[in-house]
Amino acid sequence: MASKPAPRNRGAVIARYSGLARTALAGDTIADCDPGEFAGGGFGAAAYARTDGAPEGALRASLGCGNPLAVAGLHPGETVLDLGSGGGLDVLLSARRVAPGGTAYGLDASPDMLALARANAAAAGVTNATFLPGHIEDIPLPDGHVDVVISNCVINLSTDKPRVLAEALRVLRPGGRLGISDVIADEGLDPAQRADAERQVGCLNGALTRREYTGLLQAAGFTDIDVTPTHEAGGGLHSAIIQAAKPAG
């Protein structure tokens, strides 16, 4: 099964993921990347050692490329935001980890994905999760509102990554943490090689290199930055965990 070319604008991205959400709502398992990548254990629900009894619907709809919760260090009472929350798996897992007293927000631009996530939250009996409509380039939360920002294979889809990271910094409280999974490109790939690798994998829209990711995080104002590749995705691409912090001052 050949993977589809990645959409190159926001409207196309939303349309594509809305279609996947409708498929998941119909009870089918969905896959955005080439199915061979799922077999490698790094994409979808296969990336999680434990899923805390998450509903089957959320597991079937997982489209991530890693497990940001493994590095987010969530604690009871904290507020966490998932950028591009999709079917809601990371939000539901986060909500259980920040309870009691904490809140998990999921932000997604697709109404169909929001409907899917809310259905999964109801099935899981999770009451401290809130799903918000909106774009990751314009987060509908006030300054300094959350303790942790997570994301799972979504920031690479944005055509304005500096704006996404600036917004993530804005909504974090001083000393807040960023813990995301994403796909990065090897250094030295020329534009044609990078585009070809993205077409092969099928779920990307402009992967950054480790150096580029680090530079954008620094420019946004983050500190304590670490970009760690986790496994090979093929064609000079790797899943990676990206961690950073907002200065306490």
Side-chain angles (χ1 to χ4, degrees):
M1 176 179 173
S3 55
K4 299 177 182 178
R8 307 304 292 184
N9 62 73
R10 189 161 73 179
V13 170
I14 294 170
R16 181 175 184 177
Y17 285 91
S18 292
L20 291 171
R22 291 190 293 271
T23 299
L25 283 165
D28 295 326
T29 300
I30 58 176
D32 189 35
C33 298
D34 184 271
E37 303 305 330
F38 283 82
F43 286 71
Y48 298 82
R50 52 183 276 245
T51 52
D52 296 335
E56 183 62 28
L59 298 176
R60 285 199 309 268
S62 177
L63 295 172
C65 57
N67 177 10
L69 275 67
V71 296
L74 300 178
H75 303 289
E78 290 189 318
T79 300
V80 57
L81 167 66
D82 182 12
L83 300 180
S85 49
L89 178 60
D90 288 319
V91 176
L92 302 184
L93 297 177
S94 296
R96 286 178 170 159
R97 296 185 188 189
V98 300
T103 300
Y105 288 102
L107 174 66
D108 207 281
S110 164
D112 295 290
M113 278 296 182
L114 291 169
L116 175 62
R118 289 169 181 146
N120 287 331
V126 171
T127 59
N128 62 328
T130 299
F131 293 94
L132 305 171
H135 300 289
I136 62 175
E137 299 87 358
D138 190 15
I139 299 171
L141 289 173
D143 296 357
H145 191 71
V146 304
D147 299 291
V148 185
V149 171
I150 63 172
S151 188
N152 200 342
C153 214
V154 173
I155 293 176
N156 78 78
L157 293 169
S158 175
T159 57
D160 193 352
K161 296 174 180 64
R163 175 66 182 265
V164 174
L165 298 177
E167 278 288 276
L169 187 84
R170 178 185 67 79
V171 300
L172 280 170
R173 297 184 176 117
R177 311 182 300 281
L178 179 79
I180 62 180
S181 296
D182 214 342
V183 173
I184 62 172
D186 288 349
E187 305 287 348
L189 293 180
D190 64 37
Q193 290 172 321
R194 196 182 300 191
D196 183 60
E198 291 180 3
R199 280 193 297 270
Q200 289 179 42
V201 173
C203 56
L204 306 174
N205 193 18
L208 301 170
T209 66
R210 179 193 287 188
R211 184 181 306 165
E212 289 167 340
Y213 231 126
T214 299
L216 289 183
L217 287 164
Q218 289 173 335
F222 283 98
T223 59
D224 302 325
I225 298 165
D226 183 71
V227 180
T228 304
T230 55
H231 82 278
E232 187 175 355
L237 301 174
H238 288 79
S239 290
I241 288 289
I242 296 98
Q243 296 171 273
K246 181 172 181 174

